[in-house]
Each structure stands twice: as structure tokens, then as C-alpha cells.
Amino acid sequence: MLSKPEANEYAPYYKGYVNNVPDGDLLQILDIQQKETMSLLKDLRDEMGQFRYAPEKWTIKEVIGHITDTERIMCYRLLCIARGEQEMLAGYHEDEYVKRGKFNRFSLLELLHHQSLVRQNTILLLSSLDEEALLQRGKANGSEMTARAIGYIIAGHEMHHRRLIKERYLGSDNFQGKDE
């Protein structure tokens, strides 16, 4: 079972993500999260995936694409660090990735399927690592972190965005997207 990382295993920027992850088996948490996200969004009419709660904010489809892209990037970092990479791993520009991802051309179910496959690979990668690899330190986006911390950041990042989807998108007075 993966235990929560210490505060010195990640940059302060990620503290909110890590703290949002409940105690328990991280692999189970990641699996349950995926099912909860699918359950939350699978019954939305596809056109509602284009909903923005405010001008210049991402659509629901773009949020799902962002979650998936971020998990892909974080898994790459996790793999590199677990394998002992000592070079600084690059950051990325999330707004530019969302813009170039053109996620609105996909159906919600396609995006959720992509996210599910990426999550399955995250779980497989984490489950394949021993304690030495999980505690390996490396550098990404200008700060030092452990492979273990990245697993928790992935989980916390999805939780953060799912909460925003519930509150700002599905909870908006202007949102009317569930199939009746």
C-alpha cells in the first residue's frame, strides 16, 4: 500500500492536491476515482460537453482532456523519476495543450474512454514499482519530487477538477445537460 508522501517530497504548489487524497490504498483510490468520474459524466448529452460556466473558461470536454493530458505527463515524470532520471523534466503550458488538443471535436464518451485507459496505465505503472523506486527523487518543472508524490498529485488533480465540474459546471443555473 502506498502511503502519503511527506511535505518534502513535492513542491508547495502541489500541497492542495496531495492533501485532498483520502487515506487508504492509492491504487484503489485511483480506480474508484475513475469510476466516479465516469458515473458523473456518462449520462450528459454530448452537446453539453461544450458548456462553459463563464466566458474564456474551458468546456467540460476540455476539462476532461486536460485531466487526461496532465495524467499522461505526470506518468511520464513518475516513470522517469522512478527509473533514476536526474535531468530536469520540463513543465508544460496547460492552456496551450488544451487549445491544441481540440477536445471539443470528440464525444464525451470518447474522452472518458481515453481518460479511463490512461488511468488504467497509471495504476499498472504504480503497482509495478517497488518502494525504492517510489521513493526515488527527481526534478520536474523546476522542483524536486518523489515518484510516490506524483501518484498522489495525479489523484488530487483529478479530485480538484471533478469538484469544479460538480460545482461550476453541473451546479450552474445555466446548465441543463442530463438526459431525462
Side-chain angles (χ1 to χ4, degrees):
M1 185 167 94
L2 295 172
S3 58
K4 273 196 176 181
E6 301 294 323
N8 67 359
E9 294 182 48
Y10 53 88
Y13 170 82
Y14 297 114
K15 181 179 181 180
Y17 292 152
V18 173
N19 286 346
N20 278 339
V21 180
D23 291 333
D25 182 352
L26 180 63
L27 299 177
Q28 284 184 331
I29 290 166
L30 288 166
D31 185 52
I32 291 167
Q33 276 186 334
Q34 167 52 40
K35 291 172 182 159
E36 290 172 347
T37 298
M38 179 67 80
S39 179
L40 178 67
L41 299 174
K42 69 178 174 55
D43 293 329
L44 290 184
R45 291 191 321 266
D46 197 60
E47 64 270 13
M48 294 315 296
Q50 307 273 0
F51 179 75
R52 299 172 196 277
Y53 69 87
E56 304 301 316
K57 294 297 181 181
W58 295 338
T59 66
I60 292 172
K61 289 180 178 184
E62 289 170 331
V63 173
I64 297 303
H66 164 71
I67 291 168
T68 304
D69 272 359
T70 299
E71 189 157 334
R72 285 176 171 129
I73 291 164
M74 290 300 211
C75 272
Y76 172 72
R77 291 176 180 175
L78 193 155
L79 174 66
C80 291
I81 290 171
R83 299 290 194 254
E85 180 63 62
Q86 291 302 302
E87 293 297 318
M88 177 66 70
L89 300 168
Y92 77 105
H93 301 283
E94 62 185 33
D95 288 322
E96 194 62 30
Y97 273 54
V98 168
K99 178 181 168 186
R100 291 178 180 261
K102 300 178 184 175
F103 300 116
N104 291 318
R105 67 188 163 116
F106 296 100
S107 73
L108 268 173
L109 288 179
E110 287 174 312
L111 292 167
L112 289 168
H113 181 68
H114 288 208
Q115 198 262 339
S116 175
L117 292 173
V118 169
R119 177 53 57 92
Q120 288 172 33
N121 283 307
T122 299
I123 292 168
L124 284 171
L125 175 59
L126 280 165
S127 67
S128 75
L129 300 174
D130 63 15
E131 187 171 351
E132 180 183 350
L134 289 166
L135 296 177
Q136 186 71 35
R137 290 181 178 270
K139 298 173 278 205
N141 199 27
S143 64
E144 186 176 272
M145 58 180 49
T146 63
R148 170 175 69 172
I150 295 172
Y152 277 84
I153 292 165
I154 289 168
H157 180 258
E158 181 180 344
M159 293 174 84
H160 164 76
H161 282 290
R162 190 165 6 108
R163 184 177 61 249
L164 292 178
I165 288 170
K166 285 179 184 178
E167 293 171 2
R168 297 184 185 172
Y169 291 83
L170 305 182
S172 169
D173 292 337
N174 298 322
F175 185 78
Q176 308 256 332
K178 289 274 189 186
D179 284 334
E180 303 298 330

